[in-house]
Amino acid sequence: MKRLALPAAAVAVLLAWGFGSSVAPSPPLRLNIMVSSAIVLCAAAALVWGMLPLAALGRRLPLVALAALPCAVLFVWLGWVPAANIAKVVLAAALGIWIAGELERLSWIVIVAAVSAAVDIVSVAAGPTKAILEKGPVVVGWFTLAVTWLGYSYSEAYTGLGTSDVLFFALYLGAARRFGLREGSSAVAMVASFLGTIALAMYWTALPALPLLSAAFLAVNADLIVSRLHGGGEATRPE
């Protein structure tokens, strides 16, 4: 029951925010975006954290993602945005934690972080992500976690965070637990990186989230990663 408390609380916050934020007073726009994003992203991060024990399922963990996928599709189709957000987080987290469990060496996560950041930059600049964004909110809604703002309905305005970004958040957090890195610091730094990307996007345009996310994860664990890679102790820690 104690293990269920955190994810249950996270789900409650996401539902309450999703259904209730539109009737709350609206602060100045930029403050609104940052406050709304901080609340939703912290709740989503808590849900991912609460799912980390599911790593014990091993290669059965994709079944959780498989169960969440039709729920996400149905909720998006019905327009139940808060419920769709939760299903997407569960889907992405299950896949991310499963992938982390398949990594055999610490060096692999470093490679993943570097490659994913580079690919995300290209994708947003001239690749699939740019094409999706150009299709407009209808298409974007299928692929994003929708952060509704205070005083606005989903149809009026929201901030979108890619479901793939949540997957990598879960992957890095799962890798932190698997390899004995700093879980708490990683989670805080990665949420801060999402907020940093959103803040920059307010003054620019749609930006890739993975570069700052990957940099945040590597930065807070740099000393541990370097010492283990140089010391030859990069294999997974005993369970």
Side-chain angles (χ1 to χ4, degrees):
M1 293 301 295
K2 290 182 179 180
R3 289 184 177 182
L4 293 176
L6 181 60
V11 167
V13 170
L14 289 171
L15 288 175
W17 181 268
F19 287 114
S21 60
S22 61
V23 299
S26 176
L29 182 60
R30 288 175 179 168
L31 176 62
N32 192 351
I33 293 172
M34 295 309 298
V35 169
S36 300
S37 299
I39 292 172
V40 173
L41 291 175
C42 286
L47 179 53
V48 174
W49 186 296
M51 291 180 61
L52 286 178
L54 294 180
L57 293 175
R59 294 183 178 178
R60 293 172 293 172
L61 191 50
L63 295 176
V64 176
L66 188 61
L69 177 58
C71 295
V73 171
L74 176 62
F75 294 150
V76 170
W77 181 70
L78 291 173
W80 298 354
V81 177
N85 282 345
I86 293 168
K88 291 174 187 177
V89 172
V90 171
L91 167 65
L95 290 176
I97 295 168
W98 168 63
I99 294 171
E102 295 297 307
L103 298 176
E104 296 181 2
R105 294 185 174 275
L106 178 58
S107 56
W108 292 10
I109 195 63
V110 178
I111 296 171
V112 168
V115 172
S116 63
V119 170
D120 200 29
I121 291 173
V122 174
S123 179
V124 171
T129 302
K130 181 180 180 181
I132 290 172
L133 291 173
E134 290 175 347
K135 295 295 184 180
V138 173
V139 175
V140 172
W142 292 92
F143 297 96
T144 59
L145 182 70
V147 180
T148 52
W149 305 344
L150 289 166
Y152 292 87
S153 67
Y154 167 75
S155 61
E156 294 173 322
Y158 69 92
T159 299
L161 180 71
T163 305
S164 60
D165 298 325
V166 180
L167 186 153
F168 275 92
F169 178 93
L171 169 58
Y172 294 148
L173 198 57
R177 173 164 293 195
R178 179 172 177 81
F179 295 105
L181 303 178
R182 299 182 178 99
E183 295 178 41
S185 298
S186 296
V188 171
M190 289 191 292
V191 169
S193 79
F194 282 146
L195 294 174
T197 299
I198 292 170
L200 290 173
M202 287 192 294
Y203 296 94
W204 199 352
T205 183
L207 294 174
L210 291 187
L212 280 183
L213 181 74
S214 300
F217 170 73
L218 294 177
V220 298
N221 294 295
D223 57 328
L224 295 177
I225 293 172
V226 170
S227 65
R228 291 179 189 177
L229 291 180
H230 283 280
E234 62 162 323
T236 62
R237 67 174 185 176
E239 296 295 339

